[in-house]
Amino acid sequence: MMMMRDAAQTLGNLIDKQTICIISSIDEEGFPNTKAMLAPRKRDGIKTFYLTTNTSSVRVSQYRKNPKAGLYFFDKRFFRGVLFKGTMEVLEDAKSKEMIWREGDTMYYPLGVTDPDYCVLRFTASSGRYYSNFKSENFSIDE
C-alpha cells in the first residue's frame, strides 16, 4: 500500500523544513560513518542534493574511495523521516562552488569561493525509505 500520493512533494516538504541532515559514508574498514551537517544548499527534486564541506574532511576522503552514501532527514515533531541511498561525488569546479556559495561562507572558508578547502558534495539518490505514522515505505527514485 502506497502511503505517499506524491513522493516528491511529500518528501520535499519534509526536507525543506529541516536545518540539518545526517550523512553517512563508508570508512576504510567497511563500517558506516554518520554525522550531522547543515541542510543541503540546493536540491533538484528528491534525486540530487548539494552540500558544502571542507575538502580536507575525513568524509571527503571516504567518498573519494567509496562513493556509496546515505542522506537522512527527520522531522522530530511529527516523528517521521526519510532515508535516501545513493552516491556522493566531490565537486571542486568553479561552477559548482559558485552555484551554492552564500554570503557569510567566509566564516568557514576564509579564502572565499576559490578556497581550496571548500568543495561541494553532490548526492544522487537511487532509492529510499520513508517512515511516518508507524509505517515504512520503500521507494525508487525515477531518472
Side-chain angles (χ1 to χ4, degrees):
M1 177 177 90
M2 291 292 287
M3 293 180 287
M4 290 183 288
R5 278 180 288 204
D6 183 345
Q9 183 176 356
T10 300
L11 300 176
N13 289 339
L14 186 156
I15 291 163
D16 291 343
K17 290 178 180 154
Q18 309 315 310
T19 56
I20 65 163
C21 68
I22 309 297
I23 65 167
S24 295
S25 56
I26 306 296
D27 71 14
E28 297 75 25
E29 297 173 359
F31 288 95
N33 285 204
T34 302
K35 74 176 267 184
M37 288 190 57
L38 294 172
R41 292 280 175 92
K42 178 179 192 239
R43 69 177 178 88
D44 295 326
I46 57 170
K47 175 94 176 150
T48 311
F49 300 83
Y50 297 88
L51 304 101
T52 64
T53 197
N54 296 87
T55 311
S56 60
S57 72
V58 167
R59 217 64 59 213
V60 164
S61 66
Q62 289 174 343
Y63 290 132
R64 284 184 168 148
K65 290 176 186 152
N66 184 346
K68 287 184 179 177
L71 192 60
Y72 187 75
F73 298 90
F74 66 95
D75 177 344
K76 71 179 185 179
R77 182 173 170 217
F78 294 106
F79 204 73
R80 60 189 177 144
V82 61
L83 167 68
F84 292 98
K85 292 194 290 187
T87 55
M88 192 75 81
E89 297 169 84
V90 178
L91 308 177
E92 296 183 84
D93 62 287
K95 185 178 178 186
S96 296
K97 290 168 80 168
E98 289 166 7
M99 175 181 65
I100 64 170
W101 181 263
R102 288 187 185 159
E103 193 176 327
D105 280 350
T106 50
M107 181 170 78
Y108 309 105
Y109 315 107
L111 301 178
V113 72
T114 59
D115 193 319
D117 198 33
Y118 164 57
C119 68
V120 174
L121 295 178
R122 177 171 59 199
F123 177 82
T124 304
S126 55
S127 65
R129 186 168 177 86
Y130 175 60
Y131 176 85
S132 179
N133 297 318
F134 309 107
K135 295 181 182 108
S136 293
E137 177 181 353
N138 292 318
F139 58 90
S140 295
I141 308 287
D142 299 326
E143 291 299 318

